[in-house]
Amino acid sequence: MKKIFLVVFVLSAFRGFGQQPSVQIIPQPVEVKSGEGFFVLNESSSVSVPDGSPALLKAAEIFAAQVKTATGYSIPVRSGGVSTRNVGNIIVEINKTPDAVIGDEGYRLKLTNAAATITANKPAGVFYAFQTLIQLLPNEIESKTLAKDISWKAPAVEVLDYPRFGWRGLMFDVSRHFFTKAEVKEFIDDMVKYKYNLLHWHLTDDEGWRIEIKSLPKLTEVGAWSVKRTGTFGNFIPPTDNEPRNYGGFYTQDDIKEVVQYAADRFVNVLPEVDIPGHSLAAIAAYPELSCTPGAEKYKVRSGEKIMNWYSGGFTALIDNTLCPANEKVYTFLDKVFTEVAQLFPFPYIHMGGDECAKNFWEISPQVKQLMQKEKLKDMHEVQSYFVKRVSKIVTSKGKKMIGWDEILEGGDLPKTAAVMSWRGMKGGIEAAKLGHEVVMTPTTFVYLDYMQTDGAIEPPVYSTLRLKTTYAFEPVPEGVDARLIKGGQGNLWTEQVYNTRHLQYMIWPRGFAVAEALWSPKEKRNWENFVPRVESQFARFSVAQKKYAPSIYDPLIKVKKADSTKMLVDFDPEISNLDIYYTFDNSFPDQFYPKYDGTSIPVPIDAATLKVITYRNGKQIGRLMVLNAADLKRRAGIK
Ligand code: ACM
């Protein structure tokens, strides 16, 4: 009697706990139905795939490799259908008649005590089903070494899943800081776990030209190398002529082919970006004749010294970092560049940049003046538009479609075939879609992954903040536009302040989870309260994988306001609920025995030296120590 009661109690407690507590998937699938029991991957598991494409075999082999280190199992991949019926086998089926619900990238995954069954229309769907299966296995599956004594159980489920958008990207800037081919591959490995399918590779900028162009060897002999500096990028002491230019690097064409193939095996397209006519100092350092402004000797690849003046509503360049729109040599140069780029990248689009082109040197260039007269161009926007149209012709002549940042709309008359990447908010994308252009949404306001993730008291400094919750609110399709023109979106990782892979991971995750979900999951399935625990379950997996993530959701924003001419009040704005916030003004380290913030503004004591803040959850420290000194407090309150 007692026993029966216990079993019933345990079962109902289990059920009552949200059915299947361990189903924590990012991005949230379209539909998950929980079943009874567990699928268990074991040493006699195998993957059977039907006879078919090498892509399908490859997808299965990648899965087998993904789980091999942690489990120690060498899971065989067998083509030609199911030959053995061991418990724990994975059976892959490709629909003979396509399943209209799931499209090219969707899948159905069924896990039972007996087997895992994956059905899809295309190998891409199978690949994504494997990624979901991995997320359903214990966290230790991410281990970098053999994880002993683990039962590789995944809860019985039926998953129906397919993406909302076909363009699910992350942009990786390898110019500001160089990242090796191996690091780029690791970036791709991380992306695909969250079902991203596009790597936007920002290959050129003022700080380095990273792609070998065989017909223009100086681009990488000269343009790939700068002086190594460290600290806060942007205002470094300008390098002297005798400092070694040995920081940087580039990808040979063989490297590029290898990365493109690596990406393709994982169903990732690679979009190359050659950022012109601004952001071109590395190219000009290699070939100074591409500039409108004479002075070959002064052009050097930027090492992080100041080269632009930014002010509200505009910017000017301190050194001419633009290609000259009035110089035919520039178009010959670009023809060579895009010929080779087009051959290297199978993706139908090439990105021409087009952003933040300073015009102050064009304004004083006699060549540009002549061009304006000849082409009847009224202003600098029209000069830029002339340049963009010439580039569009070149790119199109290579059999590719052109895409560029939203400045390519300026000056009007953008060829209809050009696609627009909206980064200065959503408005460029809205304007472009209304003009009939294809659009990819990458607004600073939601998806700029280089921005700080919480208060500057704890984050490495960047000029703006973008919290996870805001990124999670990213909605790529604005009201009033033809949704069919919105191809999808991207998170953008600029790397001025990103010196290495550890920090790269910190900047991408967890916001990369939020972008992935915005691009994959049905709009109505997105829910912040339900997202946060799933993020935390990914944190646990990252810890096992020894990957870095930003724990910034645990650190509140610190809001300081003026009470009167000398007095200040402090408030804290936590991003998630259930945090206990403790603080001190007496230089000592706060813990859970210190004053706790209760939502009422805290008066800053008149002689306070520092504000120190820490968060706890359920009696355990969870946040990092945040410190603001008295001068910071005053500055924030606007007290002189
Ligand atoms: C950009 O962030 N300059 C596209």
Side-chain angles (χ1 to χ4, degrees), residues 6 19 44 56-57 72 109 153 215 241 255 351 369 427 464 474 530 538 567-568 583 604 606:
L6 189 69
Q19 298 264 322
S44 49
L56 187 56
L57 267 178
L109 169 69
K153 279 165 125 182
S215 58
D241 285 346
D255 291 337
H351 200 302
K369 201 169 276 168
K427 64 182 186 318
S464 194
F474 174 42
N530 159 297
Q538 293 300 323
K567 294 207 182 82
M568 295 178 279
Y583 61 92
V604 177
I606 191 159

Side-chain angles (χ1 to χ4, degrees), residues 568 608-611 627-635:
M568 295 178 279
T610 57
L611 165 63
V627 183
L628 279 181
N629 62 34
D632 291 329
L633 292 170
K634 282 195 180 143
R635 189 176 40 76

Side-chain angles (χ1 to χ4, degrees), residues 364-540:
I364 55 170
S365 157
Q367 279 171 282
V368 173
K369 201 169 276 168
Q370 258 179 18
L371 175 77
M372 291 176 79
Q373 280 159 3
K374 180 161 158 258
E375 299 291 334
K376 302 197 175 20
L377 307 172
K378 292 202 300 293
D379 57 21
M380 288 302 136
H381 284 323
E382 291 197 0
V383 174
Q384 178 170 293
S385 159
Y386 167 86
F387 176 87
V388 168
K389 279 183 271 188
R390 294 278 308 257
V391 174
S392 164
K393 274 207 185 108
I394 296 171
V395 170
T396 311
S397 76
K398 311 299 166 205
K400 297 289 183 181
K401 294 196 221 179
M402 189 183 83
I403 184 165
W405 300 112
D406 57 49
E407 286 94 330
I408 65 173
L409 288 163
E410 288 169 357
D413 211 14
L414 179 66
K416 271 284 177 314
T417 51
V420 173
M421 212 171 246
S422 187
W423 73 278
R424 294 176 298 175
M426 306 285 285
K427 64 182 186 318
I430 295 171
E431 184 189 337
K434 289 196 168 151
L435 291 167
H437 297 281
E438 290 179 330
V439 169
V440 176
M441 288 294 189
T442 70
T444 52
T445 37
F446 293 98
V447 296
Y448 261 44
L449 306 182
D450 56 326
Y451 289 180
M452 294 188 294
Q453 304 180 64
T454 184
D455 202 284
I458 189 75
E459 293 293 334
V462 179
Y463 55 89
S464 194
T465 300
L466 176 67
R467 297 175 100 186
L468 178 64
K469 194 169 185 177
T470 310
T471 299
Y472 195 68
F474 174 42
E475 169 45 45
V477 181
E479 296 270 314
V481 304
D482 180 352
R484 287 169 305 183
L485 289 169
I486 310 297
K487 295 182 70 66
Q490 285 179 192
N492 289 344
L493 184 74
W494 301 103
T495 59
E496 285 95 329
Q497 309 298 346
V498 181
Y499 291 74
N500 55 57
T501 304
R502 296 298 289 172
H503 194 54
L504 177 104
Q505 292 165 359
Y506 177 95
M507 295 308 290
I508 296 179
W509 314 109
R511 288 178 299 191
F513 303 144
V515 178
E517 190 145 310
L519 297 173
W520 178 282
S521 305
K523 192 174 170 183
E524 65 280 4
K525 283 268 159 159
R526 287 165 54 201
N527 175 309
W528 169 253
E529 301 303 330
N530 159 297
F531 178 63
V532 172
R534 286 184 290 122
V535 167
E536 294 197 277
S537 83
Q538 293 300 323
F539 285 173

Side-chain angles (χ1 to χ4, degrees), residues 24 40 91 110 133 135 153 155 172 189 201 237 268 335 351 354 406 434 446 454 456 481 519 525 541 557 580 618:
Q24 303 273 353
V40 187
I91 300 152
K110 185 168 179 186
L133 172 55
Q135 287 199 32
K153 279 165 125 182
F172 188 5
D189 290 341
W201 209 359
I237 297 164
V268 169
D335 194 277
H351 200 302
D406 57 49
K434 289 196 168 151
F446 293 98
T454 184
V481 304
L519 297 173
K525 283 268 159 159
R541 298 175 84 87
L557 289 179
D580 297 323
N618 302 328

